[in-house]
Amino acid sequence: MIKVIGVRFRTAGKIYYFDPAGLDIHTGDNVIVETVRGIEYGYVVLGNREVADDKVIQPLKQVIRMATDEDRMVEARNKEKEKEAFKICLEKIRKRGLEMKLIDAEYTFDNNKVLFYFTADGRIDFRELVKDLAAVFKTRIELRQVGVRDETKILGGIGICGRALCCHSYLSEFIPVSIKMAKEQNLSLNPTKISGVCGRLMCCLKNEEETYQVLNSKLPNTGDYVTTDDGLKGEVHSVNVLRQLVKVLVTVNHDEKEIREYRVEQLKFKPRKRKGNKDNKDSADKNSDVELKALEALEKKEGKSKLS
């Protein structure tokens, strides 16, 4: 076991471990630490604790000091300087006519580097832009191209649920999300219904995936033939996953058809393997080719987040 603290450098950012260097550090404190980018001002989200050695990437850097009032003033000044740096960079981009969208500007605590985050459809030759910026700021310049999910994480916003976006409020790392998750939860496969502000599949599709997998495994599929506890046989018309209820089209009084609702424990059926990705393209889904192509585009991975 090794004693560490967990530090974040931006809202809902990744948590990095540091050696507390014998200091008594608590959640909510601010610390000055050394990172690969230089000296940084961080917010402690995990106070002194012990973790297994294999959970830590060695060598573990030590905390330089607890943040002082002067350090807080420096951090506040940096935030103001970032606003001005953003405006200057935006102006230089316009002058150069570059097809890129500036998202954010960020100073390291020691002012040793200025980072600019941007999005673009393809590769951008920004070498001349870097020279322009270096001439203005007289320090190291780094331009970092990020994806649309990172863009949304930085800017924030309100989701269709009416709450702050998960990625901006608490989700430190993006999780893989697939069309299969929406299918498992019986959601509409209309891209406009299951995509988030960023235009990709909503991260919250992952939240209830495990619960739906367990509940669906206990239910028959629509179209399966079942036997009820009152001796009738019929075809599954629809299922209510959360309530574990099944509507069955049964034959009563010889040729008369009737839909009846049963609890899943009242039915006998042969468990089948849950439907996978291929079934997303079945005619039963009633999706157009355009919608399916849009869904496949939403599911494409953007790789790891480039935010620290």
Side-chain angles (χ1 to χ4, degrees):
M1 302 293 284
I2 184 171
K3 187 169 284 190
V4 301
I5 61 166
V7 179
R8 272 184 176 150
F9 300 102
R10 61 166 61 238
T11 304
K14 294 178 184 177
I15 298 176
Y16 294 91
Y17 287 140
F18 290 89
D19 182 347
L23 298 172
D24 185 21
I25 302 175
H26 304 280
T27 300
D29 289 341
N30 294 110
V31 292
I32 305 300
V33 294
E34 182 183 355
T35 70
V36 292
R37 302 196 314 184
I39 305 301
E40 293 279 28
Y41 178 95
Y43 178 78
V44 178
V45 292
L46 299 173
N48 285 27
R49 64 187 59 207
E50 291 187 344
V51 299
D53 292 354
D54 58 355
K55 298 290 184 181
V56 177
I57 299 176
Q58 297 288 0
L60 196 64
K61 293 191 176 182
Q62 290 187 341
V63 171
I64 296 175
R65 66 178 181 273
M66 300 291 291
T68 62
D69 290 338
E70 185 179 347
D71 292 330
R72 294 185 184 92
M73 290 175 62
V74 171
E75 179 67 6
R77 285 198 298 270
N78 285 345
K79 293 299 178 187
E80 291 300 317
K81 289 166 64 177
E82 286 170 2
K83 295 177 184 178
E84 185 62 28
F86 185 91
K87 292 178 183 177
I88 293 172
C89 185
L90 205 57
E91 182 184 345
K92 298 295 182 184
I93 289 172
R94 286 172 183 159
K95 283 186 178 180
R96 291 283 177 186
L98 297 173
E99 304 252 345
M100 55 195 288
K101 179 183 176 183
L102 187 63
I103 303 301
D104 195 20
E106 182 180 2
Y107 268 92
T108 57
F109 179 77
D110 56 6
N111 281 208
N112 188 44
K113 182 191 293 186
V114 188
L115 295 96
F116 296 95
Y117 298 94
F118 71 94
T119 59
D121 290 335
R123 293 178 65 86
I124 300 292
D125 184 358
F126 49 69
R127 287 174 293 184
E128 295 303 317
L129 175 62
V130 171
K131 292 178 183 178
D132 293 344
L133 295 172
V136 174
F137 297 108
K138 310 295 184 185
T139 188
R140 292 173 60 197
I141 303 294
E142 181 178 335
L143 271 78
R144 190 174 295 181
Q145 185 171 355
V146 298
V148 290
R149 297 182 84 188
D150 280 329
E151 174 188 358
T152 305
K153 183 178 180 67
I154 292 172
L155 299 178
I158 303 297
I160 59 172
C161 59
R163 302 187 64 173
L165 297 176
C166 298
C167 60
H168 184 70
S169 55
Y170 76 89
L171 197 64
S172 59
E173 293 190 47
F174 293 116
I175 47 179
V177 185
S178 68
I179 302 167
K180 185 180 177 182
M181 294 177 188
K183 179 69 175 174
E184 191 85 39
Q185 297 171 45
N186 293 324
L187 297 175
S188 167
L189 294 187
N190 184 335
T192 60
K193 300 281 183 69
I194 59 175
S195 57
V197 175
C198 61
R200 297 291 184 266
L201 292 173
M202 292 188 293
C203 295
C204 57
L205 290 177
K206 179 71 175 177
N207 293 355
E208 297 177 357
E209 180 201 14
E210 187 176 344
T211 299
Y212 272 90
Q213 282 180 340
V214 173
L215 293 176
N216 277 326
S217 67
K218 301 175 182 178
L219 293 168
N221 291 320
T222 301
D224 284 357
Y225 287 92
V226 299
T227 302
T228 68
D229 61 352
D230 51 7
L232 298 175
K233 293 185 178 181
E235 181 182 349
V236 175
H237 179 269
S238 62
V239 297
N240 186 320
V241 181
L242 296 179
R243 293 186 178 181
Q244 293 287 279
L245 296 174
V246 181
K247 287 186 177 180
V248 183
L249 182 63
V250 296
T251 303
V252 294
N253 298 330
H254 303 294
D255 293 331
E256 188 178 340
K257 298 285 187 179
E258 183 178 320
I259 294 178
R260 294 185 180 181
E261 190 172 65
Y262 297 88
R263 296 190 306 275
V264 68
E265 57 266 24
Q266 293 178 282
L267 304 175
K268 290 182 180 179
F269 56 93
K270 183 179 179 181
R272 292 189 181 182
K273 189 177 180 181
R274 300 312 302 174
K275 295 181 180 180
N277 289 332
K278 283 187 177 180
D279 294 300
N280 290 335
K281 297 186 179 181
D282 285 350
S283 58
D285 292 334
K286 297 180 181 179
N287 286 305
S288 66
D289 289 340
V290 174
E291 284 182 329
L292 287 171
K293 287 179 181 178
L295 285 167
E296 288 167 359
L298 290 175
E299 195 176 5
K300 284 184 179 177
K301 295 179 180 178
E302 290 191 2
K304 287 188 176 182
S305 170
K306 294 184 180 179
L307 298 180
S308 56

